[in-house]
Amino acid sequence: MGQVERHRFVDTALVNQAYEDTSLPIGLGQTISKPGVVARMLALLLNGAGLKLGRVLEIGTGSAYQTALLAELAAQVFSIERFPALLDKARPLLQQANVRNVSLLLGDGTLGWREYGPYDGIVVSAGAPHVPPALEEQLAEGGRMLIPIGDRDEQILTLFVKRNGQLEGRDIVPVRFVPLIGAGGWLA
Ligand code: SAH
């Protein structure tokens, strides 16, 4: 986190708040996640391995701040965002930060990105009513998924590990993410 400058990923009007531990608006009713929560998610994804992950799937590119962090921790990052306007902002920011191992996709992330799966890690940055079935399928054996599960306003950040083809879940901490909108999430 010392290497990725968060102020590059927020609006110029908000740069003075970029290093506070709060979420901030990024347009279209969406927010850049709170750095403390991002740190927690990434630490759980890595599982203290100290090794780079192989392929990671991120749902909800948003500002691309977490995407840039994931790019430091994984060989390849695949990130999906549903709003074209957010992806249009994210793309040049990642280029400026010299991030080259990220592929971006416009679409419904609840369907995953089958072509490049299965993934060693999946990070969902929006709150879901349940685990989207496609994401469960696309998680590799032994892979780890971080996803906020709950209602539209409040969720529990949950860690799932796939063992013998089954997801084992563990509640981590209460969180507030914007809703995951899509076929495997909230309908609107
Ligand atoms: N990690 C991002 C989080 C942004 S907020 C950041 O810190 O900037 C969550 C993002 O998830 C929003 O940009 C929202 O548009 C996106 N999102 C919600 N549902 C989605 C879906 N089904 N597929 C892809 N992106 C989705």
Side-chain angles (χ1 to χ4, degrees):
M1 290 186 101
Q3 289 180 38
V4 178
E5 297 174 318
R6 191 167 181 257
H7 72 266
R8 293 178 182 272
F9 297 88
V10 302
D11 283 353
T12 41
L14 297 171
V15 288
N16 59 336
Q17 294 174 62
Y19 296 100
E20 290 171 15
D21 192 20
T22 53
S23 56
L24 295 168
I26 56 170
L28 297 158
Q30 309 304 313
T31 54
I32 179 171
S33 309
K34 199 172 147 154
V37 172
V38 173
R40 192 92 188 256
M41 289 176 86
L42 298 181
L44 289 162
L45 190 73
L46 282 176
N47 193 22
L51 295 168
K52 270 209 176 184
L53 295 165
R55 275 176 301 193
V56 170
L57 178 67
E58 177 187 47
I59 313 304
T61 316
S63 67
Y65 171 64
Q66 181 180 268
T67 319
L69 292 170
L70 284 169
E72 298 277 337
L73 305 174
Q76 279 186 291
V77 180
F78 300 86
S79 184
I80 310 176
E81 170 56 53
R82 63 188 281 262
F83 284 121
L86 293 178
L87 268 195
D88 289 347
K89 274 197 211 168
R91 209 170 260 118
L93 289 177
L94 291 170
Q95 270 162 12
Q96 282 156 30
N98 244 328
V99 172
R100 295 176 199 281
N101 54 336
V102 171
S103 306
L104 299 173
L105 177 70
L106 176 68
D108 178 2
T110 67
L111 303 175
W113 195 342
R114 197 170 298 277
E115 204 179 337
Y116 298 103
Y119 299 95
D120 305 304
I122 299 181
V123 183
V124 182
S125 293
H130 50 74
V131 176
L135 299 186
E136 174 168 359
E137 273 168 37
Q138 291 171 36
L139 187 67
E141 179 62 27
R144 301 163 76 79
M145 180 180 344
L146 273 305
I147 178 168
I149 303 273
D151 60 33
R152 290 182 72 102
D153 305 316
E154 289 181 314
Q155 309 89 24
I156 305 284
L157 177 62
T158 312
L159 166 67
F160 289 98
V161 182
K162 200 185 238 187
R163 292 193 206 289
N164 303 318
Q166 302 278 351
L167 289 189
E168 289 174 10
R170 176 153 70 90
D171 291 358
I172 305 296
V173 67
V175 286
R176 285 168 182 269
F177 277 82
V178 296
L180 181 73
I181 310 288
W186 300 100
L187 290 182

